[in-house]
Amino acid sequence: VDTMHDDGARKARWTARGYEQTLNGNEDFFSATPAMMHLKMMLVESALKGHVAAIGDCSGAFYQSPLNPDGTESKVWIEPPPEAELGPDYIWEAVSAFPGLKGAPRAWDTYSASVLTNSMQMEQSQYDGCLFYRFEPNRERIEEKACRHIDDFLVTGPEPNVERFLEQARDKLNMQDAVRLYKTGDEGRLLAMNLQKLDNGYALQGKPLLIHG
């Protein structure tokens, strides 16, 4: 895959021809996506409580995700590309997910949820598996919430808590290019929509939607 950015820079990556992948027929490749209603609710609560929001992207998400970590699924074997110059007698075993491979989104879903709940001490919603939250030590209030859409995150809460999440996500999930929506006019991209901080709330532009506190 070779793409050109607006500044003329090119980006290329190796991908698998997943459309040629041989399957057994009983694979579970389901990868959850968040309900838009819950994302809006996070922004509404943030506006009402005077909290802040931030968005970030986890770089190389699929490459971070091990395939078959518990040994219960079939291994994935790949023919090396011609550029490897290995000849027809060589074959590679995929130990991590990567773009183009069926099951890669599922592998990232499992891996990121494990990091969030174990390493980052968050809890996963039983209603929406893309929502994660962290309680205060006395468990009387939730400190911050995070909404995951594949490798993109929206996090809301008091500013120190959001900063803590961003730091931990950078270290443990390789989150890069975090955009902080702390001041009026701050904006970023989320789910192919523009998200902008207003004086008294947020604006999601992509659809005519305003979220006010």
Side-chain angles (χ1 to χ4, degrees), residues 137-158:
N138 58 16
R139 296 188 67 83
E140 291 184 356
R141 292 188 303 176
I142 292 176
E143 293 184 318
E144 74 258 36
K145 298 182 179 71
C147 179
R148 180 196 63 197
H149 180 263
I150 309 180
D151 57 356
D152 294 323
F153 279 85
L154 167 70
V155 56
T156 61

Side-chain angles (χ1 to χ4, degrees), residues 5-6 8 11 15-16 22 41-43 69 88 90 99 110 114 136 140 146 154 174 197 211:
H5 295 266
D6 294 338
K11 181 178 181 180
T15 64
T22 302
M41 289 174 61
M42 287 177 61
L43 293 173
Y90 288 84
T110 301
S114 175
E136 291 181 338
E140 291 184 356
L154 167 70
N174 198 26
K197 179 71 173 69
I211 297 175

Side-chain angles (χ1 to χ4, degrees), residues 85-167:
E85 299 181 350
L86 292 177
D89 296 329
Y90 288 84
I91 193 169
W92 288 345
E93 178 186 351
V95 296
S96 69
F98 47 89
L101 186 68
K102 286 183 171 64
R106 173 68 174 182
W108 166 249
D109 188 309
T110 301
Y111 173 73
S112 59
S114 175
V115 171
L116 289 163
T117 56
N118 295 323
S119 299
M120 297 175 61
Q121 300 299 305
M122 302 189 79
E123 298 187 28
Q124 187 174 19
S125 170
Q126 296 183 9
Y127 186 74
D128 186 333
C130 293
L131 293 179
F132 299 83
Y133 50 89
R134 180 157 37 197
F135 279 100
E136 291 181 338
N138 58 16
R139 296 188 67 83
E140 291 184 356
R141 292 188 303 176
I142 292 176
E143 293 184 318
E144 74 258 36
K145 298 182 179 71
C147 179
R148 180 196 63 197
H149 180 263
I150 309 180
D151 57 356
D152 294 323
F153 279 85
L154 167 70
V155 56
T156 61
E159 184 174 333
N161 299 7
V162 171
E163 285 296 322
R164 176 181 62 182
F165 177 92
L166 295 177
E167 180 179 358

